Amino acid sequence: MVLAVVAKDTSGVLERVEIERRAPGEQDVDIEIKYCGICHSDLHQIRGEWAMPLLYPMVPGHEIAGIVRSVGPKVTKFKVGDRVGVGCIVDSCRSCDSCAKGLEQFCANGMLGTYNSKTTKYGQKTKVLEGHDSEYTFGGYSQSVVVTEECVVRIPDSIDLAASAPLLCAGITTYSPLAHFGAKAKGSACTTGVIGFGGLGHMAVKLALAMGNTVYVFSTSVGKKAAVEELGAKFVCSADKDQMAAVTGKCNFILDTVSGNHDANLYLSALAVDGTFCVVGAPQAPFSIHAFSVRGVGGGVFGLGRRRPQMLSRCFLMMCACLFVAVLVYLAEYLVSTSNCLTASRPAAHHGA
């Protein structure tokens, strides 16, 4: 049994319970969790803000950093004591075209999410949660986790372990589209626009700048202007028509990182002809885009597979992880303020993956 922090409903209140992790299999890595980042998608799921099935009690968390405490007999990539991380996926079919290309997030048979994902897939055996007839995964807001080695990544010794956790979601979610849509390859020849300067946006700005891009940050929060400029990017107040008009057609690539509902049409005028507009923020409401505003639109889901080592190497070189933790403080304060996990008495046990 291990301690975990759970949400039991959409109220946002968290409390401490005990859960039982599944026994490690032959190809599994048993990880003692040292740190887990707080992603805005955790808040979306806790509150039930996305149109997807809700499974409670819910143990969120998919930005996991920890130390290997045991491995299965067929594990070849990791050993006891290794510094490792786990992102948004803990398994996939490993046989479809997407999995073969290192794109497990697009698994044709459905990837297994780190939490709130049915564990009946891919031989994941776990006990049924008390009071529930479904088996599903529990995430990183806990003391340990058991994951197949294919979904575990090594954390370089040169990166602070605490700061590495957000790289497993926010880092790869922003690095992947920058690499895929050419911002990385074009370097100084690319002008990138980043919508939003929160967790994802902050990471996207640092990565794009490290790739040599000219970077514009679009935000309604004028109070963030100094922080944006300190990094070396250019601030554009999206509520200011004159500032928006000044950047018309300037961006080869725009990455929309905003998790709240907003009008994407406002930013399309900044896109150059044959540019690309990519959405990774995953707001609650669907987008509505005017047909004559479209110049190039792309979609993005969190990255995985072959790009994770590239991303971690990049973040070591620029040391972006060390500063990123501060961006998550406001989310942490929200969770702490709504949680009674620190004062909860010893609860009844629940069981899960």
Side-chain angles (χ1 to χ4, degrees), residues 160-228:
D160 179 74
L161 190 62
S164 71
L167 299 175
L168 278 303
C169 177
I172 194 62
T173 297
T174 51
Y175 179 89
S176 285
L178 286 165
H180 181 75
F181 291 111
K184 178 185 176 185
K186 293 176 183 176
S188 61
C190 181
T191 297
T192 292
V194 177
I195 304 174
F197 194 61
L200 285 174
H202 188 96
M203 183 65 74
V205 169
K206 301 192 79 170
L207 287 168
L209 287 169
M211 293 171 181
N213 298 175
T214 297
V215 179
Y216 288 93
V217 176
F218 298 92
S219 176
T220 58
S221 302
V222 179
K224 297 181 179 180
K225 184 174 186 291
V228 168

Side-chain angles (χ1 to χ4, degrees), residues 49-262:
E49 293 174 343
W50 283 341
M52 60 175 57
L54 298 176
L55 301 170
Y56 294 102
M58 180 191 304
V59 179
H62 56 220
E63 298 179 344
I64 299 168
I67 305 296
V68 176
R69 61 183 187 183
S70 68
V71 297
K74 293 186 177 180
V75 171
T76 60
K77 299 178 181 179
F78 304 98
K79 65 182 184 304
V80 174
D82 283 349
R83 293 154 38 97
V84 296
V86 177
C88 304
I89 300 176
V90 291
D91 212 344
S92 66
C93 78
R94 310 183 213 176
S95 59
C96 68
D97 288 343
S98 291
C99 287
K101 296 175 182 177
L103 299 172
E104 294 90 343
Q105 69 270 37
F106 299 119
C107 176
N109 296 299
M111 61 87 175
L112 188 70
T114 305
Y115 70 91
N116 245 25
S117 190
K118 295 290 184 67
T119 60
T120 49
K121 294 180 181 180
Y122 316 128
Q124 297 267 6
K125 301 297 184 182
T126 186
K127 295 186 177 181
V128 178
L129 283 160
E130 182 179 332
H132 294 259
D133 58 6
S134 297
E135 299 175 339
Y136 55 93
T137 51
F138 282 168
Y141 292 10
S142 58
Q143 293 178 313
S144 68
V145 67
V146 177
V147 183
T148 177
E149 72 170 328
E150 294 302 319
C151 292
V152 179
V153 62
R154 188 181 306 280
I155 304 297
D157 291 341
S158 50
I159 294 181
D160 179 74
L161 190 62
S164 71
L167 299 175
L168 278 303
C169 177
I172 194 62
T173 297
T174 51
Y175 179 89
S176 285
L178 286 165
H180 181 75
F181 291 111
K184 178 185 176 185
K186 293 176 183 176
S188 61
C190 181
T191 297
T192 292
V194 177
I195 304 174
F197 194 61
L200 285 174
H202 188 96
M203 183 65 74
V205 169
K206 301 192 79 170
L207 287 168
L209 287 169
M211 293 171 181
N213 298 175
T214 297
V215 179
Y216 288 93
V217 176
F218 298 92
S219 176
T220 58
S221 302
V222 179
K224 297 181 179 180
K225 184 174 186 291
V228 168
E229 293 178 344
E230 184 178 354
L231 290 178
K234 302 178 181 182
F235 182 87
V236 179
C237 178
S238 51
D240 187 312
K241 292 182 179 180
D242 292 337
Q243 290 188 35
M244 290 297 293
V247 294
T248 298
K250 286 196 172 182
C251 296
N252 309 109
F253 178 63
I254 295 179
L255 188 64
D256 188 343
T257 70
V258 176
S259 60
N261 296 334
H262 60 288

Side-chain angles (χ1 to χ4, degrees), residues 4-52:
V5 178
V6 308
K8 291 187 174 180
D9 52 41
T10 59
S11 67
V13 176
L14 303 179
E15 56 185 270
R16 185 173 59 183
V17 304
E18 285 186 325
I19 62 172
E20 183 175 344
R21 293 294 189 182
R22 64 184 176 87
E26 291 185 332
Q27 293 181 305
D28 286 335
V29 179
D30 183 11
I31 302 167
E32 179 184 2
I33 298 174
K34 295 296 187 181
Y35 306 97
C36 184
I38 301 169
C39 180
H40 203 106
S41 62
D42 296 336
L43 304 185
H44 280 308
Q45 292 215 56
I46 289 170
R47 297 166 175 167
E49 293 174 343
W50 283 341
M52 60 175 57

Side-chain angles (χ1 to χ4, degrees), residues 299-322:
V301 183
F302 50 83
L304 193 68
R306 66 183 185 275
R307 293 204 191 278
R308 289 187 303 181
Q310 299 172 15
M311 179 272 300
L312 287 169
S313 176
R314 170 72 67 171
C315 288
F316 159 60
L317 293 174
M318 61 188 286
M319 298 304 290
C320 65
C322 296

